[in-house]
Amino acid sequence: MSGSNGRRPPLIADRRYGPSAAKKTASNGGGGRGSKPPPKAGPKRRTKKRDPLSAAVAWVFGLIWGVVMFFWRILWGVGWRILAAVALVVGLSAYYFYSQLPEVAQLVDGRARGSVTMLDREGKVFAWRGETYGGMVTSDKVSKYLREAVVATEDRRFYRHFGVSPRGIASAVRINLSEGRGPLEGNGGSTITQQVAKLLCLGVQYDPKEWKSEADYEADCRKGGIWRKVKEVPFALAMEAKYTKAEILTIYFNRAYLGAGARGFEAAAQRYFGKSASEVNASEAAMLAGLLKAPSYYAPTANLERARDRANVIIGLMEEQGYLTRSEADQARAHPAQLSEAAQSRSGGFFADWVMESGPAFLTRDTTEDVIIRTTLDQRLQRAAEGALDDVFKTKVSEGSKAQAAVVVMSADGAVRAMVGGRKVQAAGSFNRATQALRQTGSAFKPFIYAAAMDLGYSPADFVDDSPLTVMVKGSGPWSPSNYDRKFRGIVTLTSALKQSLNIPAVRITEAVGREKVRQVASEFGIQSDLAAGPALALGVSEATLLEMTGAYAGILNGGSAVKPYGLVELRLQGEDTPLIGQEGGIGERVISEQAAQLLTYMMTQVIESGTGARARLPGWEAAGKTGTTQAARDAWFVGFTADYVAGVWMGYDDNTPLKGVTGGGLPADIWREVMVRVHEGLQPQPLKKIVPEPRMPPQTTADVRTDPVPQDTGDWQAQRPNDTGDWQAAPRPPSAGEQIVRDVLGIFGGGGRN
């Protein structure tokens, strides 16, 4: 509306901003009456048509995008529900495991079996059997190097995850695939928490009704695979919620198997280094941590260099992750871990096996308790025996030979001081040739024949005829023994017959004193196997173990009393002072008189002085012994003693293959000498208790010895002793009928008089 003077009223813009602003507003299309009409639009521009090909491509991509979005909506709609369900299941499973987990102290020792720790005669540990557990050790009490080495090796992100490491699993899958394995074969990407879950068998307890053995149970617990990994996740999460990181490490440090029967790092540190896990240095900690990958393979007692190489890898990881400085790492590599004396020597393995077998199974082989056994072993003597055997084989036996040997050293009372059951130290439970191999004894049996004769009053100076002999064996016919060299020596003393190991005189003496008497003496001295009943008994066709033979010779050394070889002195439970079992071996009943034993000792000294055992002679020491070689040289023996120790050596092949060029007076005597030289280091020579017999004149009447009639295989030929001294009466007294039979048929003569 216009004003009365024909002018338009002022606009609001004029009043607010002034006329210029209103004019500007109007010029910008205010739409008022006075505004200029907008300029006419020019002619429309023609739109360019889209290329058909581009349109088709755009349509296809649009269709694909639509399909993708369609399925995405479906997957998202289903996927989040599945993920939610999985999370719920995992959460509920974790909560279930959480509610079942006990206190840490109940999880540190998961062994179903106990351990046996063996001490030598000085109280030092030399062997372990079963699974050794060194006692609970907490992660904050072990050496910091050990704690850091384990984390650096097994789970570098241990302190930053919640039990499961997706990054670690992805890395393990990548490594496995790159090396041509399955995604979960080889590296599993398990965290320490997951490894603990596996050690705990996901909470499943050992049940003898379900598993045949504890080994089967543990094998089942260690199984890998996707399903096992899936089950580990909620258990690991539950552990992370239940325990602190330090407590999880504590369980790990106590339950991990670290080779050589050591369960837990405390036991392993004691086993390998003779010190506590709290005292190990960087190089020792690295070696212990390296065992986690493959305990038996990397055990330093199996291969020290391999264990050190693995330890250097661990040292590198510790340096890389900042646990060791460059100088500390170089120091650890320059001074690798050294094994303790007991671990380094690996001595006493066969001895330990024998002790385990000699004790009751429920306290040794199958014990569920931790047991301490004090033994008779002398580690110095053990090393001496092992070293001597190795040196002889290196210097005197052809390289590559499969011949075996065994050595036993004991005191006169039967206390076994050293035992070597084979040329190489093998795993526990290996075949022990000193205690398990029954072999023919050959001429090493002959001292028992002469022991019986001496006990019946014979003298080493008595004479016996070494000439052809035939004995009728019931059911077999005539049997004609021969000497090793196929020669005959005529009339010889009993001492000469023994020192030259003549067979025919041994048979004559056996027939004279009676086979039953010889069997009695041998069995009472400790030969436990069935002894031959026929005349071949005299030639050592019966079998015995080296331990039995050495123990029997110990009976001669101690003056004629039987001994029962023993190694166990005392058995008690760990932590207890009262023994459950004491010594069961030692000196027993008298077998032959002391005089007979000392006469026999003299005869056996001559074997070494000038007989078949000359290679066993000990410079400066008086020694007695006997060689033994069986038919076709399948077995070769030397057993003998000094005033301090008795030792036995056997040599042969496990498959009974004949030895080539070996007799008891050869390599076995060499081994015996080397063993005894080392055993007696630092000792003062002591004389043997022996009786030197008075020499006697050969028989004054020596009628031709007949072989017809011949002794029958009745075993009842007894020696005829004219008087209590065992002396034959000198001529001219005519012999009695019994004496004449002994003289003529058996060819045994007393002295014709004393010089």
Side-chain angles (χ1 to χ4, degrees), residues 350-351 354 382 404-410 416 418-423 430-439 544-551 565 637 648-651 654:
F350 290 108
F351 178 90
W354 171 59
Q382 180 68 32
Q404 275 291 349
V407 180
V408 172
V409 180
M410 68 173 62
V416 177
M419 178 181 291
V420 184
R423 287 173 56 192
S430 299
F431 182 66
N432 190 338
R433 295 162 189 83
T435 63
Q436 295 174 299
L438 279 168
R439 308 298 290 245
T545 66
L546 178 61
L547 181 65
E548 291 173 353
M549 290 292 289
T550 310
W637 302 72
V649 175
W650 167 87
M651 186 174 177
D654 288 338

Side-chain angles (χ1 to χ4, degrees), residues 59-105:
W59 182 84
V60 170
F61 276 102
L63 178 62
I64 293 173
W65 176 253
V67 172
V68 168
M69 292 303 296
F70 173 77
F71 282 107
W72 170 250
R73 293 187 187 96
I74 295 176
L75 289 174
W76 173 251
V78 175
W80 74 265
R81 290 175 174 84
I82 293 176
L83 289 174
V86 170
L88 180 62
V89 171
V90 171
L92 291 174
S93 300
Y95 177 76
Y96 169 78
F97 288 131
Y98 177 91
S99 65
Q100 300 295 315
L101 287 171
E103 295 299 320
V104 172

